[in-house]
Amino acid sequence: MTTSSIKEIWKLIEKFKDEVELLTSDEALVLLIYINRHKGITKTELIEKVKKHFKQVNILIDTLLSTKFIEGKNGLLYLSRKGEEIVKVIEYSKYDISELPKDAIRGYSLQTPPLGSGSTSVTFRATKEKTEFDVVLKIFKPGILDHVDFGEKIKTMRPFVSVPHLVIPQDYGEFKWNGLNLKYIEIKYIKGDSLGKFLNENRNVDLEETLRNFIKEVAGTLKIIQNKGFTHGDLHENNILMVEDEVYKGGNIFHFEVIDFIGINSNEKFRRYELTDLEYFKENFFKITRKYASTPSGKVDRKKLGERLVYIYNNLVENKYNTFDDVIKGLSEKLPERKRFQYEPPFTYLIFETYDVNDPLWLKRFELEATIYEYFIDFRPLICSGPRGCGKTIYLRSLSFIPKLIKVAEDEEDVKNKIAYFKGIFGIYFACRQGEFKIFSEKCYKFTFETQLFLKHILILKILRRTISLIGEAYSEKVFTSEPKVELILDILSQYLTKELTMTSTFRERPFKELISILRNEENFCIDMVGKEEEYPPTSNLLQENILIEFFQTIKKAVSELSDAKFYVIFDDLSEPQVNLEMQKILNCLIACHNEVYCCKFSTDKYAYTFQDMYGKALQVPHDYTYRDMSNVEDYEKYLEKIINRQLEIGGYTKKIKDYLEELPYSHKELINLLSKREYNKVKYGGWNLIVQLSSWSVRDGLVICEAIFKQYGGREKHNKLKEGKDKIFMDVQDKAIRKYSNEAYGYLINIEYVGKEIFDVVRSFGEISREYLKREITKEKERKHEVITIERRDNKELSVKAEDLLRKLIRHSVFIDRGHSFSREQIGRVEKFTLHRKYTPELKTTYREREHLRLSKDRLEEFLLRPDQFREKFFKKGKEDKYQLKFFDFEEGDKNE
């Protein structure tokens, strides 16, 4: 039962003392009380229904007094303002008609379970007995639309019969069941899923084509409805059906059908709390873009949407479209001139994968170092590794073939010199961190040799498709203008694809788009087959490395602009877990394929990649590939300075970075002296040299530290003075920003996936040990304290699996920097050295200076990694045996300065 009687409210509320303070105004309240539990409806379901409908009227409610559902003896009560508007809707929920028998309605056979069940109706798929056609029956609960004459309604809707993509009722009727008088309407059955269901699943979709169809078909349909003086009134995500394109089956292109239209006049108040049709349209458009075109930061991904749809998206966000006609015109009207260079604040660091690579600004932000770049443009297989943020991606991206950027670069010498295409390089780029090979890491199947061969087949299909896609884009952007010899490409592909390729008229009009669609279908077909070894094609039909050589040779003949090009297949961030180790072995087969047509370039985090191929052969340096370690960049300080100065130049600053920063307030000797005496409050972290040290060869960290300092400095007015060169950034500002940055980086360690606590404990203990060293004068050098931030191994014995795994993760996450192998001062051969990333030193209250090494045997290193607290305590208790000999740390002699 429901009541709005204030007298009854006060009687009932006495039972719920805790809620009394929520009542602020007698006349503002409506109390909804469910005395009886209706059969088939649980408390949870009832709550969900109330919440759902309350959300719909939320825009009409001044103040929400309570969002709590209080359980009474036999039911629930709920308090809100203006609750009368949802009383009826909630009351409909008490009727459960989802269990109708198949023969409940004469002339139809219902298929169970129902397709959907709402508060007002239940929808069944049914077979019409006389025609044997499948239809959809929407059966209304008692009391719903009792006042509507459906016969008259269907007559009213006859003008809409010819409207494409609009599904209208074609018949109606009434029947009795369990003493209830029920009405229904009959609708044409369409094979497809609701937009709501589609968005809840991880489905592949050709986003640009599908969104264009959404605008043409949904907005176009609603425009016709409005022009005829009607409104839909209830266009939520479940009243839009998605149907796959039959012509391009498997191409992931979808069309849309608008359902549940019952002919409401525009001036008729159907449900006054519903959104307008245009508001519903925008809401559903945004849901699709959020699902398929969002960057990690939540912004729209321009590359995935394309310029046209980004333009429409922005206009919808800014409410510039007032009618459906405005929306549809957005597909054809001239796009406004886009600013070529978006001048941003100089140190707004963006994750590189989210850059708009079609805009030359991302190249202008970085100065490519010639000594590094030579390794990348050399026509040899390359594997590049190094700490995160050292610039691996920048160099690989610069090899990518990006037609839009090439078009701009033809007139931009500053950009042209940095684009590899002008050096005869056609780079086919895969950003593995964005999930390019995620499916091969998650799918549950055994990596048998047969499966690895089949995965290689799929991998090569991906390379073929990406290559053809880039060529198609180059023709679209008029980068290529010659007549392509598509028949040559068809001849080679037809030998390996399951679908027969023919030159139809459509194919001749848009050959590359057709080829992309065919290859995508082939790829999806194969992916669905992975793990089902009995269904694999014969090994002789699978694509191998030789097909890539033949394919690229054919491309050189088919497209004259590529006749002298060399093809670079680029995989950025092949690290585990983005790419499974078994998948890495397959990729290694490509890198070991020496030829004159293509080569491979890989980047990976340290200790996150295997150098074995699928045949058990280990790749050999330098025979199979060139190895480039970005951990130690020559003249790193000048390199970082050039990049930051370029950032300042783009931001409109008139001076260089060194001009804005005060010098370090004291020498390194003075810093050590202050730290060793525990006078932390006197220490000031600042100055260019210190920033270079704290970044530990990571361009990203150098940028972030500078960004933190500039942000700490103040608002626009202060920055204007900096831009004009009238001010510097004081030492106190730098010190505060650097300490804050270090504190946040140190605190973040605990969040590292799976091993955060272990890594945090290692770093914390290492910091305490380093501080203990600062207190001791164990060097013979006058006025010189002794400090340690580096671990050096004393032997080459294998660590336990657990210790080795933790050490690899410390290096993979750039907590420790791998300094490579160097000759031991104890003459035991080449040993490994690991340096703590210096960004943690302000928080650890130690120094960044490398002097003595903490030399550890296998057992000591394992103890340090797996039991850091125990290791530290032993040092504190036993480490003072001798002023010049710290035996616990495996020191055999006195001072071992470098």
Side-chain angles (χ1 to χ4, degrees):
M1 101 184 195
T2 62
T3 180
S4 57
S5 165
I6 301 301
K7 183 179 178 182
E8 291 297 319
I9 289 174
W10 284 113
K11 284 182 181 178
L12 289 161
I13 209 65
E14 282 294 316
K15 299 178 182 179
F16 306 100
K17 300 286 187 184
D18 294 339
E19 300 294 310
V20 171
E21 70 272 17
L22 295 172
L23 305 176
T24 59
S25 167
D26 289 357
E27 59 192 22
L29 290 172
V30 171
L31 188 64
L32 306 180
I33 306 170
Y34 283 79
I35 301 299
N36 298 312
R37 295 281 176 80
H38 300 292
K39 182 181 177 183
I41 298 183
T42 65
K43 171 189 169 184
T44 304
E45 289 171 333
L46 190 57
I47 288 174
E48 287 304 311
K49 288 180 184 295
V50 176
K51 282 183 177 177
K52 173 185 173 183
H53 292 291
F54 187 81
K55 184 179 179 182
Q56 290 174 318
V57 299
N58 200 29
I59 55 173
L60 301 174
I61 294 168
D62 301 320
T63 306
L64 174 59
L65 294 178
S66 171
T67 56
K68 294 183 179 179
F69 294 85
I70 312 161
E71 189 167 11
K73 185 176 181 183
N74 297 312
L76 303 169
L77 64 82
Y78 175 71
L79 290 85
S80 76
R81 289 179 182 262
K82 297 191 178 179
E84 291 177 356
E85 298 186 12
I86 57 172
V87 172
K88 287 184 179 180
V89 176
I90 295 172
E91 276 292 279
Y92 302 149
S93 301
K94 69 183 181 182
Y95 298 107
D96 181 11
I97 58 173
S98 60
E99 296 182 1
L100 283 169
K102 291 183 178 181
D103 58 352
I105 307 174
R106 183 179 295 177
Y108 297 94
S109 177
L110 302 183
Q111 298 181 23
T112 55
L115 296 175
S117 180
S119 58
T120 60
S121 63
V122 178
T123 307
F124 286 89
R125 183 176 172 182
T127 303
K128 205 166 184 177
E129 293 174 352
K130 289 183 180 180
T131 63
E132 296 298 321
F133 289 140
D134 277 357
V135 296
V136 172
L137 296 182
K138 188 177 181 72
I139 304 170
F140 298 98
K141 295 181 179 181
I144 300 292
L145 303 182
D146 280 347
H147 60 289
V148 175
D149 183 339
F150 279 106
E152 195 61 37
K153 273 286 181 190
I154 289 176
K155 285 181 185 178
T156 305
M157 286 188 280
R158 278 177 186 165
F160 295 99
V161 171
S162 59
V163 177
H165 307 289
L166 178 64
V167 182
I168 63 174
Q170 51 196 24
D171 203 352
Y172 70 98
E174 298 182 18
F175 69 101
K176 288 188 176 183
W177 177 73
N178 276 3
L180 299 172
N181 293 317
L182 303 173
K183 288 184 175 184
Y184 68 88
I185 55 174
E186 177 193 307
I187 308 167
K188 177 185 174 184
Y189 171 71
I190 294 172
K191 187 178 181 181
D193 289 328
S194 70
L195 175 60
K197 181 179 179 184
F198 193 90
L199 292 173
N200 285 328
E201 298 174 354
N202 292 320
R203 305 273 290 274
N204 293 324
V205 63
D206 184 326
L207 187 60
E208 283 198 56
E209 285 295 320
T210 299
L211 278 176
R212 285 173 183 272
N213 289 340
F214 184 78
I215 293 169
K216 291 175 188 174
E217 294 162 3
V218 178
T221 299
L222 295 171
K223 174 187 171 183
I224 295 171
I225 290 174
Q226 283 192 353
N227 288 345
K228 292 182 181 291
F230 289 84
T231 184
H232 187 287
D234 194 22
L235 198 73
H236 53 73
E237 61 186 23
N238 291 322
N239 280 340
I240 300 173
L241 292 184
M242 295 187 70
V243 183
E244 189 170 9
D245 192 305
E246 288 294 330
V247 178
Y248 300 105
K249 193 77 173 175
N252 301 318
I253 298 172
F254 291 87
H255 295 278
F256 298 87
E257 302 287 333
V258 175
I259 64 172
D260 215 15
F261 173 63
I262 58 171
I264 305 163
N265 290 317
S266 296
N267 57 2
E268 182 181 344
K269 294 290 184 183
F270 173 52
R271 291 180 183 167
R272 54 187 254 201
Y273 51 79
E274 293 288 359
L275 304 176
T276 66
D277 284 357
L278 184 59
E279 288 169 337
Y280 266 127
F281 173 85
K282 287 167 61 175
E283 186 180 82
N284 290 313
F285 185 89
F286 293 151
K287 284 179 182 177
I288 299 172
T289 53
R290 280 197 298 269
K291 172 77 174 181
Y292 290 103
S294 283
T295 64
S297 64
K299 296 180 180 178
V300 64
D301 191 325
R302 303 182 73 94
K303 188 178 178 184
K304 288 182 180 178
L305 277 184
E307 291 304 309
R308 172 68 58 182
L309 287 166
V310 167
Y311 170 70
I312 293 172
Y313 174 89
N314 289 335
N315 284 343
L316 286 170
V317 169
E318 295 166 15
N319 296 315
K320 291 184 178 179
Y321 293 146
N322 298 313
T323 66
F324 287 113
D325 204 37
D326 293 338
V327 180
I328 295 164
K329 283 179 182 176
L331 288 173
S332 56
E333 63 189 348
K334 186 179 178 181
L335 292 177
E337 284 289 327
R338 190 176 157 212
K339 292 179 183 177
R340 269 198 164 173
F341 304 109
Q342 186 71 33
Y343 292 136
E344 302 168 350
F347 301 108
T348 301
Y349 187 80
L350 303 175
I351 296 173
F352 187 80
E353 281 80 1
T354 65
Y355 282 4
D356 181 358
V357 294
N358 296 317
D359 190 323
L361 178 61
W362 73 266
L363 274 178
K364 284 180 172 288
R365 293 168 80 100
F366 291 89
E367 286 287 345
L368 299 176
E369 188 65 30
T371 54
I372 300 173
Y373 194 42
E374 287 303 315
Y375 281 94
F376 286 84
I377 63 173
D378 184 29
F379 187 68
R380 279 180 55 81
L382 171 81
I383 296 180
C384 170
S385 74
R388 293 181 176 184
C390 65
K392 303 184 293 292
T393 296
I394 298 294
Y395 288 94
L396 287 177
R397 280 279 196 188
S398 66
L399 300 176
S400 306
F401 182 80
I402 307 168
K404 288 184 180 179
L405 189 55
I406 291 168
K407 195 67 178 173
V408 172
E410 289 174 350
D411 303 319
E412 292 274 353
E413 286 299 321
D414 191 32
V415 176
K416 184 176 180 178
N417 293 332
K418 299 174 185 176
I419 294 180
Y421 172 67
F422 292 99
K423 299 178 178 69
I425 294 171
F426 186 96
I428 305 139
Y429 182 88
F430 294 89
C432 303
R433 186 173 288 277
Q434 293 182 343
E436 187 72 45
F437 300 104
K438 195 174 181 183
I439 185 170
F440 302 127
S441 300
E442 292 182 346
K443 204 153 184 173
C444 296
Y445 49 76
K446 293 181 180 178
F447 276 97
T448 62
F449 185 71
E450 289 74 20
T451 293
Q452 284 183 310
L453 283 174
F454 191 51
L455 290 177
K456 188 200 287 187
H457 174 85
I458 297 172
L459 169 65
I460 293 173
L461 279 174
K462 282 181 175 290
I463 296 171
L464 301 184
R465 177 167 62 84
R466 183 66 57 84
T467 304
I468 288 172
S469 175
L470 289 171
I471 293 171
E473 191 179 336
Y475 275 105
S476 174
E477 293 293 327
K478 303 294 189 295
V479 173
F480 295 166
T481 55
S482 65
E483 185 67 30
K485 299 174 183 176
V486 183
E487 63 277 3
L488 294 178
I489 303 173
L490 281 175
D491 288 343
I492 187 170
L493 291 181
S494 59
Q495 302 173 43
Y496 298 96
L497 302 183
T498 55
K499 186 173 181 178
E500 186 177 346
L501 299 178
T502 54
M503 288 282 282
T504 63
S505 58
T506 310
F507 203 107
R508 291 179 189 280
E509 289 175 11
R510 46 180 193 178
F512 294 105
K513 191 167 185 178
E514 293 290 313
L515 279 173
I516 293 164
S517 178
I518 290 166
L519 286 168
R520 186 188 289 112
N521 293 345
E522 185 86 11
E523 187 183 319
N524 291 338
F525 174 73
C526 291
I527 287 172
D528 289 339
M529 201 189 297
V530 174
K532 305 168 187 174
E533 293 190 14
E534 67 282 356
E535 297 180 17
Y536 292 170
T539 304
S540 58
N541 290 355
L542 296 179
L543 301 177
Q544 300 285 350
E545 294 87 331
N546 66 299
I547 182 60
L548 278 180
I549 299 172
E550 293 176 41
F551 173 73
F552 288 131
Q553 285 173 332
T554 303
I555 292 294
K556 288 161 77 76
K557 295 174 184 175
V559 181
S560 61
E561 285 89 347
L562 296 176
S563 58
D564 296 323
K566 290 188 175 179
F567 296 88
Y568 286 36
V569 186
I570 304 162
F571 296 91
D572 188 18
D573 204 346
L574 280 174
S575 310
E576 192 187 28
Q578 284 91 260
V579 180
N580 188 284
L581 287 174
E582 298 301 324
M583 193 66 194
Q584 292 175 3
K585 292 178 181 178
I586 299 169
L587 288 158
N588 284 339
C589 292
L590 298 185
I591 209 169
C593 180
H594 302 284
N595 63 88
E596 297 180 355
V597 184
Y598 82 89
C599 71
C600 291
K601 306 284 182 183
F602 297 170
S603 79
T604 175
D605 291 339
K606 285 212 170 185
Y607 297 121
Y609 193 76
T610 179
F611 292 90
Q612 262 197 344
D613 68 13
M614 56 187 283
Y615 301 99
K617 174 183 176 294
L619 297 178
Q620 299 295 318
V621 181
H623 174 69
D624 291 321
Y625 66 96
T626 300
Y627 179 72
R628 175 67 188 177
D629 186 351
M630 301 277 280
S631 298
N632 296 291
V633 178
E634 294 177 22
D635 293 325
Y636 168 72
E637 182 175 348
K638 290 182 181 178
Y639 179 43
L640 180 63
E641 185 181 356
K642 279 198 296 185
I643 291 169
I644 291 177
N645 284 337
R646 175 52 66 99
Q647 298 276 53
L648 286 168
E649 182 186 331
I650 289 172
Y653 287 70
T654 56
K655 290 197 172 184
K656 307 294 185 185
I657 185 63
K658 287 184 179 179
D659 298 323
Y660 289 118
L661 304 178
E662 292 187 311
E663 290 299 319
L664 190 68
Y666 31 62
S667 68
H668 185 265
K669 188 186 297 182
E670 290 170 320
L671 173 63
I672 293 172
N673 192 48
L674 288 170
L675 292 169
S676 63
K677 291 180 178 178
R678 300 293 195 260
E679 296 185 37
Y680 304 131
N681 60 323
K682 295 182 181 180
V683 174
K684 297 287 184 186
Y685 290 98
W688 170 249
N689 292 335
L690 181 131
I691 289 169
V692 173
Q693 294 290 337
L694 293 185
S695 63
S696 279
W697 303 281
S698 168
V699 173
R700 182 184 301 169
D701 283 307
L703 285 167
V704 173
I705 293 170
C706 286
E707 177 186 8
I709 291 170
F710 272 67
K711 282 184 177 178
Q712 187 70 44
Y713 184 68
R716 180 177 295 178
E717 188 175 334
K718 284 192 172 185
H719 274 270
N720 286 338
K721 287 185 178 180
L722 287 180
K723 286 185 177 183
E724 295 166 7
K726 296 178 180 177
D727 211 346
K728 289 186 175 183
I729 302 178
F730 305 118
M731 188 58 61
D732 284 345
V733 174
Q734 295 183 54
D735 177 61
K736 188 174 181 179
I738 287 171
R739 285 177 183 274
K740 182 181 177 184
Y741 164 72
S742 181
N743 174 266
E744 289 172 353
Y746 181 60
Y748 177 74
L749 291 173
I750 202 75
N751 296 323
I752 293 177
E753 201 169 27
Y754 304 124
V755 289
K757 185 179 184 305
E758 289 86 345
I759 286 177
F760 183 85
D761 288 343
V762 167
V763 174
R764 177 172 51 81
S765 292
F766 189 67
E768 291 185 28
I769 291 167
S770 295
R771 287 199 301 275
E772 188 68 18
Y773 263 105
L774 283 171
K775 293 195 301 185
R776 304 181 182 194
E777 289 190 36
I778 60 171
T779 176
K780 296 173 183 177
E781 192 174 335
K782 188 179 179 182
E783 295 182 354
R784 183 87 182 240
K785 295 284 182 181
H786 198 87
E787 71 276 7
V788 174
I789 66 165
T790 301
I791 293 174
E792 177 183 313
R793 293 202 59 181
R794 289 199 63 226
D795 54 45
N796 291 312
K797 295 177 183 177
E798 283 191 23
L799 297 175
S800 67
V801 174
K802 190 173 181 181
E804 180 72 24
D805 181 62
L806 184 56
L807 179 60
R808 284 171 176 256
K809 284 188 169 64
L810 282 162
I811 293 167
R812 184 182 305 178
H813 291 281
S814 296
V815 178
F816 278 81
I817 307 297
D818 181 6
R819 299 296 305 278
H821 288 73
S822 60
F823 285 101
S824 166
R825 287 170 294 166
E826 295 174 11
Q827 299 182 347
I828 59 171
R830 289 168 64 85
V831 293
E832 295 173 292
K833 290 182 181 178
F834 312 105
T835 304
L836 181 70
H837 196 300
R838 292 166 175 172
K839 65 186 176 185
Y840 303 114
T841 56
E843 182 64 18
L844 294 173
K845 299 181 178 65
T846 183
T847 172
Y848 56 79
R849 185 68 178 265
E850 279 185 56
R851 283 285 295 168
E852 189 59 84
H853 297 289
L854 186 63
R855 282 164 287 176
L856 303 178
S857 63
K858 167 190 177 294
D859 293 338
R860 297 283 191 240
L861 180 56
E862 284 190 357
E863 186 176 25
F864 171 71
L865 293 169
L866 303 179
R867 297 176 295 280
D869 290 339
Q870 177 180 311
F871 181 89
R872 185 186 70 251
E873 289 305 314
K874 282 185 181 179
F875 165 68
F876 288 156
K877 289 177 182 177
K878 301 179 182 178
K880 300 181 182 179
E881 294 178 6
D882 191 291
K883 184 176 182 181
Y884 296 111
Q885 295 184 37
L886 301 180
K887 294 180 181 178
F888 173 74
F889 288 110
D890 302 323
F891 283 32
E892 293 181 344
E893 302 174 18
D895 179 40
K896 298 283 186 180
N897 290 333
E898 289 185 277

